[in-house]
Amino acid sequence: MADAGEKGVRAEEDITKDGSVDLRGRPCVRSKGGRWTACFFIVGYEVFERMAFYGIASNLVIYLTKKLHEGTVSSANNVTNWVGTVWMTPILGAYIADAHLGRYWTFVISSAIYLLGMSLLTLTVSLRSLRPPSCGTAQAGDCNRHATPFQVGIFYCSLYIIALGTGGTKPNISTMGADQFDDFEPRERSQKLSFFNWWMFSIFFGTLFSNTFLIYIQDNVGWSVGYGLPTVGLAISIFIFLVGTPSYRHKIPSGSPFTRMATVIVAAIRKWDVPLPIDPKELHELDLEEYARAGKFRIKHTTSLRFFDKASVKSGPNTPWKLCSVTQVEETKQMVKMLPVLAATLIPSVLTAQVHTLFIKQGTTLNRSMGPHFEIPPACLTAFVTIFMLMSLVLYDQCLVPAMRKYTKNPRGFSLLQRLGIGLVIHVVIMVIASLTERYRLKVARDHGLVDKDAVIPLSIFVLLPQFALMGIADTFVEVAKLEFFYDQAPEAMKSLGTSYFTTSLGVGNFLSSVLLSTVSDITKKNGSKGWIQDNLNVSHLDYYYAFFAALGVINLFFFAVVSKSYTYNTEVMESEIELRK
C-alpha cells in the first residue's frame, strides 16, 4: 500500500502544473513530452519554413519586374502590400486558435493552405499556359509582351493563399514552442528563457540559406527550380512538425479573446459613473474551484488601468455585458497596456523594411564585382543581416546574459524592455551611418561626373556592409525582445493573440514604410524641386531621407522611454496556482 501511495504521489508530481494537456485532452506527464524534446521538431520546422518563405519574398520584386513586366513603383508597392498582408493575417489565425481550434489544429490546417499556395505559385512559374511570356533582354518598361490577366490573377492568387496560410502558422508555431515549458517548474522556466533566442536563430539560419543559395538558383538556373525548392522545403518542414506530434503539450482553447475584452470595455463604459469599492475583494470574482474545473487560472487584481475595474463592480444585473470577473478584467488590462509598447515598435519596423528596399537599391548603383567572372547580387547583401544576427545572438545568449545576471539579478540579463531599448538605440545609429554612407556615395558620383547618369559608381558594394551588419545586431535585441515580450506579457488564454502583436508590428511597419516613402517624395517635389527620391539615385537625396528616419528614431526613443518607465510587468506566478497548491 505504501509503495502504491508513493507511486501515486510521484505520478501527481510528474503532471505539468500549467494546465497543459496532450492531444486527447488528458493532463500532460512531464517526462513524456514537452521541453526541448518537443521544441527540436518545432525549431526544425521553422528552419525549413523560413527558407521557403524568404525563398519567395527575397527576390519577389525581381520576378515582378522581369517576368510580369511591372514597373519599379508598381512592383515595389505590390511586394510591400503582400508582405504587409502576410504580417497582418496572424491576427485572424490567433483568434481562431485561442477561441476555437487550439494552436495545433489551427497550425496544421493553415500549413495545408500554405503548402497549397506554394505549390500553385511553383506551377505558375513552370507551366507554359500560366507562365508570362519572356521579353528576352528587353527592359521591363520596354516589353511589349505582357502577361494575360489570367496569368497575373493566378500568380497573385497563389501569393495571397500563402498569406492566408501564414496567418495561421506565424502566431501559433512560436507560441506552441513556448508552451512546451512549464512556467511553474523552475528548471523548465529557466530553459524557456533561452527558447526565443534559439527560435530567432532558427529563423535567420533558414533565411541565410534563402538569401544566398536560393537567390543564386533563381537568377542563374531558373524560377521553376528557384520556387520549387522552397515548396519542397515547406513540405519537409510540415513533415518534421507532424513527426513530433506525440511529444507536444497543448493549451485548451478558452473562447474568443476579442469577445472577452469587448464585454469588459462595454461593461466598464456602462458603469462609468459607478464608484469603485475601497477594498478590491468586493469586486466580482469566481471561485478558485470553478477556474480549476475549466483548467484556467485566476489572476490577482492590480491597480493599473483602474477604469476597467468598473466592469467588476457588483451593481445592476448579473449579465456578461454588465458584470465581469476580476480575472477577465485583468486579462483585458494586460492586452491593453501592451498597446503603447506596440506603438513604440512601429517606427523600428519601418526602419527594418528599408533593408529589402532602399538599402538594396543603393547596392545596384555600386561596383559588385568580386573577380573577373562573378558579381554579388544586391539582394545577397541581406545575408549579412542574417550572418551578424546569428553571431550576435549566440554571443548574447552565451556570454552577455550570464555576465549581466551578476549585476542585474535578472534571469534574462536585461529586462525585456531594456533589451528592446538597446535595439532602438542601435537603429538610430544605423540610420545615421546609412545617411553618412549615402552622402559619401553621392560625393564619389559627383567627383566622377556621374550625377546625371544612372550609372555604376566606382565604389565597392561592401561600403554598405556596416548598415547591414548593424541591422543584424539590432534584430538580436529588437525582434527577439518584441516576440518574447508580447508572448510573455499576454494572459495565458490569449498567448496567440499576444504573439500576433509582434506580427502586427511588422505588418503595419511595412504599410507605413510605403506611406512615408510616397509622402516624403511628394512633399519634397514642391517648389520646382525634383524630390529626395527618384529613379536615378545619383540625383536623389537618400542621405536626407535616412537622416529623417534617424530623427524619427530619436523621437520614438523618447516615446519608448516614457512608455517603458510607466509599464508594470505582470506577476510571473498567478496567485490561484499558489492557493491551489497549499
Side-chain angles (χ1 to χ4, degrees):
M1 294 293 292
D3 291 340
E6 291 178 2
K7 289 181 180 179
V9 171
R10 286 197 298 269
E12 183 178 352
E13 291 177 348
D14 201 30
I15 298 296
T16 54
K17 303 175 183 178
D18 60 353
S20 57
V21 297
D22 63 17
L23 197 57
R24 296 182 179 180
R26 301 171 300 189
C28 281
V29 177
R30 193 182 310 280
S31 60
K32 292 185 177 180
R35 297 174 292 187
W36 280 110
T37 301
C39 282
F40 285 141
F41 295 101
I42 294 174
V43 171
Y45 162 88
E46 192 65 10
V47 172
F48 284 94
E49 190 278 332
R50 289 295 86 186
M51 180 196 75
F53 178 77
Y54 282 103
I56 302 298
S58 296
N59 229 13
L60 181 58
V61 70
I62 302 299
Y63 184 86
L64 296 180
T65 302
K66 288 184 175 180
K67 298 299 181 180
L68 292 188
H69 321 311
E70 295 182 357
T72 302
V73 174
S74 62
S75 61
N77 285 341
N78 285 330
V79 170
T80 303
N81 291 337
W82 178 69
V83 172
T85 303
V86 164
W87 290 114
M88 294 298 290
T89 52
I91 297 176
L92 175 62
Y95 163 76
I96 294 173
D98 285 341
H100 302 291
L101 299 180
R103 287 159 200 152
Y104 178 86
W105 289 114
T106 302
F107 175 86
V108 170
I109 295 171
S110 299
S111 294
I113 297 173
Y114 191 173
L115 184 59
L116 172 64
M118 290 287 291
S119 301
L120 184 59
L121 186 66
T122 301
L123 290 177
T124 63
V125 301
S126 303
L127 299 181
R128 181 173 299 180
S129 59
L130 301 178
R131 186 176 63 232
S134 174
C135 282
T137 59
Q139 296 295 322
D142 300 327
C143 182
N144 294 320
R145 303 181 65 189
H146 298 288
T148 66
F150 175 75
Q151 290 170 337
V152 174
I154 197 69
F155 182 83
Y156 279 106
C157 177
S158 62
L159 283 181
Y160 281 90
I161 289 176
I162 292 172
L164 181 63
T166 59
T169 60
K170 287 183 182 297
N172 291 307
I173 186 65
S174 60
T175 309
M176 191 171 171
D179 287 346
Q180 305 310 307
F181 302 96
D182 185 354
D183 277 333
F184 299 107
E185 205 282 323
R187 184 179 178 183
E188 290 194 23
R189 179 163 183 81
S190 176
Q191 293 173 337
K192 185 177 179 178
L193 297 181
S194 294
F195 167 74
F196 286 103
N197 289 333
W198 292 105
W199 174 256
M200 293 301 291
F201 183 94
S202 69
I203 288 177
F204 280 87
F205 189 82
T207 304
L208 177 62
F209 183 84
S210 295
N211 291 339
T212 51
F213 178 74
L214 286 180
I215 287 177
Y216 175 83
I217 292 294
Q218 291 165 359
D219 287 348
N220 295 277
V221 178
W223 294 97
S224 297
V225 178
Y227 279 2
L229 287 176
T231 302
V232 173
L234 179 63
I236 293 173
S237 70
I238 296 172
F239 175 76
I240 290 173
F241 175 85
L242 293 176
V243 168
T245 296
S247 64
Y248 297 145
R249 298 175 184 174
H250 307 270
K251 296 298 177 65
I252 299 173
S254 52
S256 169
F258 297 113
T259 301
R260 293 206 302 279
M261 290 190 292
T263 55
V264 170
I265 295 171
V266 170
I269 292 174
R270 284 180 170 181
K271 300 179 181 179
W272 67 272
D273 58 344
V274 175
L276 290 171
I278 298 176
D279 188 354
K281 292 182 180 179
E282 296 180 16
L283 297 173
H284 174 64
E285 181 56 296
L286 304 178
D287 294 334
L288 277 171
E289 290 74 14
E290 191 167 342
Y291 284 108
R293 283 195 299 270
K296 301 178 181 179
F297 301 115
R298 196 166 76 177
I299 304 177
K300 183 180 179 181
H301 173 265
T302 63
T303 57
S304 63
L305 301 174
R306 295 199 65 195
F307 172 77
F308 291 114
D309 289 341
K310 293 179 180 290
S312 297
V313 175
K314 299 175 183 178
S315 173
N318 184 8
T319 60
W321 292 90
K322 289 188 177 181
L323 183 65
C324 304
S325 67
V326 170
T327 293
Q328 188 176 347
V329 170
E330 291 302 321
E331 288 177 340
T332 303
K333 287 183 181 180
Q334 290 176 12
M335 296 304 297
V336 169
K337 73 179 184 179
M338 288 195 294
L339 292 177
V341 179
L342 174 61
T345 65
L346 298 182
I347 293 300
S349 295
V350 171
L351 304 187
T352 301
Q354 308 314 306
V355 171
H356 295 283
T357 54
L358 295 180
F359 280 15
I360 291 179
K361 183 65 176 176
Q362 282 179 283
T364 62
T365 68
L366 299 172
N367 181 11
R368 292 167 276 164
S369 176
M370 296 186 66
H373 304 293
F374 182 74
E375 287 189 352
I376 178 173
C380 283
L381 286 171
T382 56
F384 291 105
V385 177
T386 306
I387 291 170
F388 278 85
M389 196 276 183
L390 293 175
M391 293 191 301
S392 60
L393 189 55
V394 173
L395 291 174
Y396 180 88
D397 189 72
Q398 299 298 312
C399 300
L400 186 58
V401 169
M404 291 304 301
R405 282 174 183 160
K406 299 177 182 179
Y407 299 98
T408 64
K409 308 303 181 183
N410 188 321
R412 290 186 171 95
F414 298 101
S415 72
L416 295 175
L417 292 180
Q418 286 173 340
R419 182 175 185 176
L420 180 56
I422 293 171
L424 300 190
V425 173
I426 298 175
H427 270 162
V428 174
V429 173
I430 291 170
M431 300 318 295
V432 170
I433 291 176
S435 178
L436 295 175
T437 301
E438 177 63 10
R439 179 165 295 188
Y440 176 62
R441 191 192 68 82
L442 292 175
K443 178 181 180 299
V444 174
R446 289 193 298 269
D447 292 344
H448 288 80
L450 300 174
V451 172
D452 295 323
K453 301 176 182 179
D454 190 6
V456 174
I457 296 173
L459 190 64
S460 172
I461 194 173
F462 290 104
V463 73
L464 301 177
L465 181 59
Q467 62 202 60
F468 280 92
L470 281 174
M471 190 61 78
I473 297 173
D475 283 345
T476 295
F477 290 90
V478 176
E479 300 306 319
V480 180
K482 278 198 303 183
L483 179 59
E484 187 172 359
F485 175 83
F486 290 130
Y487 172 87
D488 184 81
Q489 294 298 294
E492 187 66 28
M494 301 181 184
K495 292 296 187 184
S496 294
L497 181 61
T499 304
S500 74
Y501 276 22
F502 167 76
T503 61
T504 298
S505 169
L506 296 173
V508 174
N510 272 275
F511 289 128
L512 281 178
S513 177
S514 296
V515 172
L516 286 173
L517 182 63
S518 300
T519 303
V520 170
S521 179
D522 291 341
I523 291 175
T524 56
K525 285 181 180 178
K526 293 182 178 179
N527 301 322
S529 174
K530 293 183 178 180
W532 288 358
I533 304 158
Q534 302 177 49
D535 290 338
N536 180 5
L537 291 189
N538 295 339
V539 295
S540 300
H541 272 294
L542 282 184
D543 54 336
Y544 294 169
Y545 192 56
Y546 290 153
F548 166 70
F549 274 142
L552 278 182
V554 171
I555 294 171
N556 186 69
L557 192 58
F558 280 107
F559 172 68
F560 173 77
V562 173
V563 169
S564 59
K565 185 176 181 179
S566 61
Y567 187 85
T568 303
Y569 287 94
N570 303 331
T571 55
E572 294 186 344
V573 179
M574 297 178 182
E575 184 182 56
S576 60
E577 179 65 19
I578 298 175
E579 293 185 15
L580 286 171
R581 296 291 167 180
K582 285 182 179 180

